[in-house]
Each structure stands twice: as C-alpha cells, then as structure tokens.
Amino acid sequence: LFATCLADQFSPQAGLDTVNLLEREGIRVHYPEAQTCCGQPAHSSGYPDEARAVALAQLNLFVEPWPVVVPSGSCGGMMRSHYPHLFQGDPELHARAVELSERVFELSEFLVHVVNFNHVDRGAPCTIALHTSCHARRQMGVHETSAALLHNLGQVQVLEQARIEECCGFGGTFALLYPDISEAIVTDKVASIKSTGAQCVVSADCGCLLNITGRAAKQDELAGCKEPSLSGEHLASFLWRRTSGGAV
C-alpha cells in the first residue's frame, strides 16, 4: 500500500479503510512506514531533481514484485506515468522505475479488475455525486472503475453533475500558486455538485475532497449556516461503510 501523504496527514481513515477493503479479500497488506510523498508536487512545479530524489526513496521501498495499490489517481498517475521519465538518464534506475510502474494500481481499478469486488450494499438508500480527479480520469483512466463500484451498490443512486470531467481547482501546488483561479474553479464545482441534490460527494482522491468540502464549508461559514451543506467521503471509506455491516 502506498497510502499517499494527503491520506496520511489529513484523511487517515481513508488509508485504514483501504486496508480493510483489501484484507477482507484475503490480501495481506504491507505498508512500508518510510514512505513519503510520491514526488508529484516537485515534478509539476518544475523541479525534476527534487522530484527524482523523492521518487527514488519510494523506488527503494517497493522492491518486492507485488502490486502497489494507491488510493489516489493523482499519486498513482505520478508513479505509473512519470517515474519512468524521471529516470531516463540512468538505465538501471529507469528499468526499476518501469518495473514498478507496471504494477501500480489505483484502488478502484484494483478492486474491479483484480479482486472482482462484489459485496452486498448494507446501507440505507442514499444519493451521491461522484468526482474523479483529473489525473485519475486522464492519466489513469479509472473514472469508469470508480463509477462501476458505486453503481453496483444497490441502495446508492449516483447523480451526475454537469461538466463532470472538469477540475475541482486543487491541482496540488496550483491551488497555492493561483489561489484566485483555484477558488473560482472550485466554487463552480461545488455549485455543480450541489445542483444535483446529492447528499454527499464521493471521490477516490483526498486532495479533491479537501478542496471541494473545504470550499463548501467556507461558504457555509460566510452564510452563517450551522449545518454543512455538502459532506464528502473517500471512495474507500464509502465502500467499506456500505458493505461492512455497520452502514447507515
């Protein structure tokens, strides 16, 4: 398991529920405790040397020929698509990066294509909106597997937002470098999700969830709302809660 730094620091339950989902399928989960960032922030900000150093640390941790499951399309995309390019100048490291990239799986694609996830939905009827991160959709192509998992839950109705393929405005360091643009994008995204009437938003990427629900919470604060107008949940936690027997 490569849990991602955002899950580790801000949404640890998503990481724990990823473990719960995998262990229920009879999979022994190894979590190398020395793992850190995937290197994407440095890479997307134009610092290849720094990104390479961070990526090398992960490359040295995941050496066994096992699948590496990542509960994030952004980090999964970095490891699968960009690690080989980072090490093109070093034949040995490039070969290792290619080998690792070929066994990286985003969580939803692993559940659908490897373990054939199929569990009874034990929750009450609910409506949700699905948000798929840009990297998950465009680099990993896993928007369809996230949707498939949710559509297979008998008591869950997935309401499609307008312009579902558009960014939430987070974009990692983009939100820090261009806060005004980021705020405008996420404001549109929150409005789009709310317009569906869904009870909550589900995403397989912690960064998107933090950005979307954070913007909604700020809007609630400014409006004097005492109850949150939009809640969010990571796909791993949503699936575990709905299929573990303790769902509401």
Side-chain angles (χ1 to χ4, degrees):
L1 174 66
F2 184 84
T4 81
C5 52
L6 282 178
D8 182 46
Q9 296 296 318
F10 296 102
S11 304
Q13 193 60 50
L16 293 172
D17 289 332
T18 296
V19 175
N20 289 333
L21 290 170
L22 296 174
E23 288 186 338
R24 183 173 58 183
E25 302 297 330
I27 297 169
R28 183 178 178 184
V29 180
H30 293 258
Y31 176 79
E33 294 186 9
Q35 64 181 270
T36 57
C37 177
C38 67
Q40 186 190 76
H43 180 261
S44 61
S45 297
Y47 296 96
D49 292 339
E50 289 80 357
R52 196 174 296 111
V54 175
L56 180 59
Q58 314 320 307
L59 202 62
N60 290 334
L61 285 176
F62 295 91
V63 294
E64 294 87 354
W66 306 331
V68 177
V69 176
V70 188
S72 164
S74 295
C75 299
M78 176 66 187
M79 299 174 80
R80 180 187 288 177
S81 300
H82 298 295
Y83 273 19
H85 297 295
L86 280 175
F87 297 102
Q88 279 186 329
D90 187 313
E92 179 186 353
L93 291 178
H94 179 258
R96 290 174 56 193
V98 169
E99 191 277 331
L100 173 61
S101 72
E102 291 174 346
R103 49 189 174 85
V104 168
F105 291 85
E106 187 267 348
L107 175 62
S108 71
E109 69 172 341
F110 189 80
L111 292 177
V112 170
H113 296 311
V114 179
V115 304
N116 192 27
F117 185 90
N118 185 22
H119 292 273
V120 175
D121 183 2
R122 302 180 184 279
C126 72
T127 57
I128 66 165
L130 170 65
H131 173 77
T132 306
S133 75
C134 296
H135 289 88
R137 179 179 293 273
R138 295 175 176 86
Q139 283 192 341
M140 301 288 282
V142 295
H143 53 291
E144 294 180 349
T145 49
S146 289
L149 290 168
L150 294 171
H151 284 295
N152 282 341
L153 297 174
Q155 298 280 69
V156 175
Q157 182 182 6
V158 183
L159 303 177
E160 184 166 316
Q161 56 176 296
R163 304 190 305 276
I164 189 173
E165 74 283 352
E166 290 186 6
C167 177
C168 75
F170 178 57
T173 54
F174 177 86
L176 301 176
L177 296 172
Y178 305 99
D180 293 340
I181 300 174
S182 176
E183 180 182 329
I185 295 172
V186 73
T187 298
D188 285 347
K189 178 59 64 175
V190 169
S192 180
I193 292 171
K194 285 183 177 181
S195 69
T196 67
Q199 293 169 271
C200 75
V201 58
V202 173
S203 179
D205 277 81
C206 290
C208 298
L209 277 177
L210 288 168
N211 200 42
I212 293 169
T213 58
R215 179 55 180 156
K218 185 62 177 179
Q219 290 177 329
D220 293 343
E221 177 189 334
L222 294 173
C225 298
K226 295 183 179 180
E227 297 294 329
S229 59
L230 181 64
S231 61
E233 194 168 15
H234 191 279
L235 177 69
S237 296
F238 187 77
L239 290 174
W240 177 250
R241 182 170 59 82
R242 299 289 304 189
T243 62
S244 65
V248 293

